[in-house]
Amino acid sequence: MNAFWLCCWLIMATLAVGCTSPAADAPAILFLRPPDDGGAGQLFVQPLGGDARQLTGTADPSAPEVIDYAPAPDGERIVYATQAGSDTALRLVEPDGGGDRLLLECPAAECAAPVWSLDGLRLLFERRPLDLSLIHI
């Protein structure tokens, strides 16, 4: 992992501290990592002093990769961005992994960098056309 992505991960993990778990009502950390059985990166939650639990892609091992996320100010919802090929989407999930639903599909574009308004009623995000000519394999 290069220094840029490590720095981004640490910033996002720091921002996510304070997102609450409804079951324990305790602070938790949100982070991205591949599931234990491999596959694309997914969103996990880990209560402080507890074990990590996968929130996204639990029912589908071929679920698209989670590329970004943002917890709501009240900690009751988490918006996350997924990418599958040249398509991205914004989805919403509860901190216990329930209520996962599609908010917006972004075909041939990257929709990411979600940010909640302070009151948690609005969501801002960045939408950029996906330029596949920049990808070199």
Side-chain angles (χ1 to χ4, degrees), residues 83-109:
Q83 182 168 10
S86 63
D87 298 334
T88 60
L90 291 178
R91 300 188 65 87
L92 193 67
V93 69
E94 296 168 5
D96 65 0
D100 193 332
R101 66 184 179 101
L102 178 67
L103 292 178
L104 175 70
E105 290 181 336
C106 300

Side-chain angles (χ1 to χ4, degrees), residues 9-20 27-33 42-48 53 55 69-72 75 77-79 93-96:
W9 183 87
L10 289 173
I11 289 170
M12 291 303 290
T14 302
L15 292 174
V17 170
C19 204
T20 60
I29 298 173
L30 292 170
F31 60 96
L32 298 175
R33 79 163 202 215
Q42 297 297 322
L43 186 60
F44 285 75
V45 63
Q46 182 170 355
L48 298 180
R53 186 172 38 84
L55 296 179
Y69 64 92
R77 296 160 292 161
I78 304 162
V79 66
V93 69
E94 296 168 5
D96 65 0

Side-chain angles (χ1 to χ4, degrees), residues 1-2 13-14 28 31 34 42 55 61 63 66 82 84 86 92 94 97 111-112 122-123 134 136:
M1 180 181 299
N2 68 35
T14 302
F31 60 96
Q42 297 297 322
L55 296 179
V66 176
T82 62
S86 63
L92 193 67
E94 296 168 5
C111 290
R122 292 176 205 83
L123 187 63
L134 299 177
H136 299 284

